[in-house]
Amino acid sequence: MVFYRGVSAISRLRSRAVQQSSLSNSVRWLQMQSSSELDLKSQMREIIPEQQDRLKKLKSEHGKVQLGNITVDMVLGGMRGMTGLLWETSLLDADEGIRFRGMSIPECQKVLPSAQSGEEPLPEGLLWLLLTGKVPSKEQVNALSKELAHRAAVPDYVYKAIDALPSTSHPMTQFASGVMALQVESEFQKAYEQGDVHKSKFWEPTYEDALNLIARVPVVASYVYRRMYKDGSIIPLDDSLDYGANFSHMLGFDSPQMKELMRLYVTIHSDHEGGNVSAHTGHLVGSALSDPYLSFAAALNGLAGPLHGLANQEVLLWIKSVVEECGENISKEQLKDYVWKTLNSGKVVPGYGHGVLRKTDPRYVCQREFALKHLPDDPLFQLVSKLYEVVPPILTELGKVKNPWPNVDAHSGVLLNYYGLTEARYYTVLFGVSRSLGICSQLIWDRALGLPLERPKSVNMEWLDNFMRLKR
């Protein structure tokens, strides 16, 4: 019952949000435009001048308008809640959840093209949406799939860079190292060093780097997986497959359901506005005109932290610890005791709570719907369902958690585990592959809009003490 109350609340809020005119009329206008042009870069050339003019108008007419007040709590609390970044590709609402270019996850599932044999949205379609604000046709998505496959060749020195690390190195260390090695072929770096590209056109070599990077990260990521867990037997890319299916194939999972799961996984993990650690890091490093490879590698290092992307690894390990101690058929009362035991030991229940969201994460909801359709009897999924009934009331009773509801990490590991990808230590790499779509899309728009070097002002505690004395 708790789950359905959470879902119905989200549905009501979604309906309310759809009715609000503040949902960016310009974005909706973009989404309604149709074009038969199959080349994504040509679409960008059409759209960018309009958005450049829009930014200039906002700055000239409204540049002095205050967006809110900064409190000492915000300064001391990691800038939480400050409105201080422009992030065009997605927007996160505390109640509604993420919207990609104004579209919720359920809306994306309905309108974005799917594979011929599947129902989940293709990541290529979401990439098109993130970059253009337009819902692509199936033909446009197919063309983009082929382009990404064509761009996916990885030089041998990238594999050698990874091989120089011990095979026991954390998968994220190996993955980030591979991304750094890819930087050798940066088109932006070459163009900037040659000095023959005007800054208004910086987006074009950035686009080339971003598309190449997005195309190649599944190849690098799957190499890390096969190197660590499958005796180094590498599975080459199949250029007849779409992006998500190819990633699944290169990892070694060819069941139709696993390919569907990978399409869904990559799509829903792709972007989560600009304030989270990985997105903000990518934008921050990119603001120094570092190319997409350098920016994304830095973002991956943020994603690897336990308080960010590494959480999806921690969730499955915690769930398995429940099973090891209490068995698969644990009762709700036993589960309550185990949750309290975790909390009383000074630890958190991984996968619950969120820095911004105050309701059940829609990304959790769509994964639950996938599980109900494809693996309703899986014991770990049933345990996840029990946790959804048990954990929120306990966290509410505890009184210290602003959001007692599950986030995306609370569910993804169980789905991956069911289809045979059981190595939880690797899960953050999957997250990283997905996040390339959002971070790289925004980097292109950073350059297209000429966004400046990020340089916020910092203060020390003495400054704050003095400021407070003056305020009295």
Side-chain angles (χ1 to χ4, degrees):
M1 288 300 294
V2 173
F3 173 78
Y4 292 104
R5 284 200 298 273
V7 172
S8 86
I10 289 173
S11 300
R12 290 195 300 272
L13 287 162
R14 181 179 299 125
S15 298
R16 182 188 69 191
V18 168
Q19 293 168 1
Q20 292 175 344
S21 61
S22 61
L23 196 61
S24 182
N25 290 332
S26 59
V27 168
R28 288 300 189 192
W29 181 86
L30 279 173
Q31 289 170 359
M32 289 188 293
Q33 303 310 298
S34 60
S35 172
S36 59
E37 178 61 65
L38 297 183
D39 179 52
L40 179 56
K41 196 170 185 179
S42 297
Q43 292 265 307
M44 297 291 293
R45 286 197 182 98
E46 290 179 15
I47 295 165
I48 283 173
E50 299 171 8
Q51 298 303 301
Q52 289 172 333
D53 290 341
R54 183 182 175 200
L55 182 66
K56 289 176 184 176
K57 185 177 181 181
L58 278 169
K59 190 171 183 178
S60 63
E61 295 183 4
H62 308 293
K64 305 302 181 185
V65 174
Q66 293 187 359
L67 294 177
N69 297 317
I70 296 175
T71 66
V72 174
D73 274 344
M74 289 176 174
V75 174
L76 300 179
M79 299 192 291
R80 190 174 298 273
M82 287 186 188
T83 300
L85 288 172
L86 182 64
W87 193 267
E88 283 292 283
T89 51
S90 66
L91 183 66
L92 179 60
D93 180 85
D95 294 314
E96 178 76 11
I98 192 65
R99 281 186 174 270
F100 303 119
R101 290 288 189 169
M103 301 187 69
S104 68
I105 286 176
E107 288 172 338
C108 287
Q109 288 179 293
K110 288 179 181 177
V111 302
L112 290 179
S114 59
Q116 187 172 357
S117 59
E119 297 178 357
E120 299 300 340
L122 291 166
E124 298 93 316
L126 184 73
L127 175 59
W128 192 291
L129 176 66
L130 293 177
L131 281 171
T132 69
K134 301 179 183 181
V135 175
S137 67
K138 186 66 167 69
E139 291 73 24
Q140 289 169 326
V141 169
N142 288 343
L144 183 54
S145 288
K146 291 178 182 177
E147 181 181 356
L148 291 173
H150 179 72
R151 290 174 178 264
V154 172
D156 285 342
Y157 56 77
V158 175
Y159 301 123
K160 291 178 181 177
I162 296 172
D163 288 343
L165 296 168
S167 60
T168 53
S169 302
H170 194 280
M172 284 296 285
T173 303
Q174 299 185 50
F175 184 38
S177 298
V179 170
M180 283 297 297
L182 285 171
Q183 192 273 342
V184 173
E185 295 192 347
S186 170
E187 295 296 329
F188 180 85
Q189 184 188 45
K190 293 174 188 174
Y192 190 84
E193 288 178 349
Q194 292 168 2
D196 57 357
V197 179
H198 189 270
K199 63 180 182 180
S200 65
K201 299 294 183 183
F202 278 172
W203 75 267
E204 296 198 22
T206 300
Y207 175 94
E208 296 302 322
D209 280 352
L211 268 287
N212 286 338
L213 177 57
I214 290 168
R216 293 168 184 173
V217 289
V219 180
V220 174
S222 59
Y223 181 83
V224 171
Y225 179 77
R226 302 294 299 183
R227 177 179 188 248
M228 290 188 70
Y229 303 114
K230 302 298 176 182
D231 299 321
S233 60
I234 308 307
I235 301 173
L237 177 142
D238 182 346
D239 59 13
S240 69
L241 296 175
D242 60 81
Y243 189 85
N246 229 325
F247 188 23
S248 179
H249 166 70
M250 289 186 291
L251 289 169
F253 303 96
D254 281 314
S255 74
Q257 285 186 19
M258 181 58 168
K259 289 177 180 176
E260 272 286 88
L261 174 60
M262 198 57 67
R263 292 171 186 132
L264 177 66
Y265 184 101
V266 173
T267 297
I268 66 174
H269 286 80
S270 62
D271 206 26
H272 216 234
E273 77 168 27
N276 64 77
V277 171
S278 57
H280 186 195
T281 302
H283 170 79
L284 171 63
V285 175
S287 78
L289 292 186
S290 299
D291 62 63
Y293 297 99
L294 298 174
S295 302
F296 184 63
L300 288 177
N301 291 329
L303 191 69
L307 296 183
H308 191 17
L310 205 68
N312 60 4
Q313 163 186 312
E314 300 304 312
V315 170
L316 186 64
L317 294 177
W318 184 81
I319 289 174
K320 288 188 172 181
S321 74
V322 175
V323 173
E324 287 174 9
E325 185 167 326
C326 307
E328 288 184 343
N329 297 318
I330 183 173
S331 69
K332 290 181 184 179
E333 289 304 316
Q334 289 176 302
L335 196 52
K336 287 179 183 178
D337 291 340
Y338 194 90
V339 170
W340 276 115
K341 176 183 174 182
T342 298
L343 295 171
N344 290 333
S345 68
K347 299 178 182 178
V348 299
V349 179
Y352 280 76
H354 192 276
V356 177
L357 286 170
R358 295 295 174 259
K359 299 289 183 180
T360 300
D361 191 337
R363 299 172 299 174
Y364 175 98
V365 175
C366 70
Q367 290 183 102
R368 177 176 173 81
E369 290 170 350
F370 186 96
L372 286 169
K373 181 177 180 180
H374 296 293
L375 49 136
D377 299 324
D378 176 58
L380 290 185
F381 168 58
Q382 292 179 349
L383 178 54
V384 166
S385 297
K386 289 178 183 177
L387 283 169
Y388 195 17
E389 296 181 49
V390 167
V391 175
I394 291 176
L395 294 181
T396 301
E397 181 182 341
L398 197 63
K400 297 179 181 179
V401 180
K402 292 181 179 179
N403 172 26
W405 303 100
N407 59 51
V408 64
D409 297 320
H411 215 305
S412 55
V414 168
L415 296 176
L416 295 165
N417 184 81
Y418 178 81
Y419 289 109
L421 210 169
T422 58
E423 298 86 359
R425 202 162 176 246
Y426 181 81
Y427 287 175
T428 311
V429 176
L430 303 176
F431 200 160
V433 171
S434 307
R435 194 47 61 92
S436 69
L437 273 67
I439 291 175
C440 288
S441 294
Q442 182 59 38
L443 283 170
I444 295 169
W445 277 103
D446 286 350
R447 299 287 70 82
L449 296 174
L451 298 188
L453 177 70
E454 185 178 325
R455 181 59 173 89
K457 169 66 177 167
S458 64
V459 296
N460 56 23
M461 285 194 284
E462 182 181 4
W463 186 98
L464 288 171
D465 285 336
N466 291 334
F467 183 81
M468 291 303 107
R469 277 194 289 270
L470 290 172
K471 291 282 286 185
R472 293 192 188 109

